[in-house]
Amino acid sequence: MEEKVEVRKISTKMIVMMVITVILGIGVFFVVENGKSAKAAKVLNELGYTNIEDVRVYSITDVENMDTKIQGKKYFVKFKDLQTNKECKGFILKDFKHNVAKDLICE
């Protein structure tokens, strides 16, 4: 009843390819996250928040005004305002006509 099952060894070429794929995946993840934070920081700068740090973007949503058919992006963010030394969270909105809006709570 004892059957020997032959196990094939993974080649070193395949292991190297898997390691390179994982490293590239981690790199792409950090570049995308940094890009989202940079875009949100740019919108916050347009809103008058010039001295900020630790911008975290939790979500980006595509939105559209049903009356005017103007489309834009809504960023759900959290950041620290260094001028007032407060933590702010909420959302910021930027449409394709470069109009910006905010709904932020600073504590």
Side-chain angles (χ1 to χ4, degrees), residues 35-47 49-50 52 55 57 75 77 92:
K36 284 195 249 183
S37 296
K39 287 179 184 178
K42 188 188 246 186
V43 174
L44 286 167
N45 196 7
E46 291 177 21
L47 286 168
Y49 293 96
T50 56
I52 58 174
V55 178
V57 178
Y75 299 88
V77 297
I92 52 178

Side-chain angles (χ1 to χ4, degrees), residues 71-102:
Q71 297 177 348
K73 298 230 182 247
K74 188 179 194 180
Y75 299 88
F76 294 92
V77 297
K78 184 176 183 180
F79 63 95
K80 183 171 184 176
D81 187 5
L82 297 176
Q83 287 178 338
T84 60
N85 203 18
K86 292 183 178 181
E87 283 280 326
C88 299
K89 61 183 176 180
F91 71 85
I92 52 178
L93 176 74
K94 182 173 184 176
D95 62 16
F96 78 93
K97 290 189 175 185
H98 302 291
N99 298 326
V100 290
K102 66 178 178 177

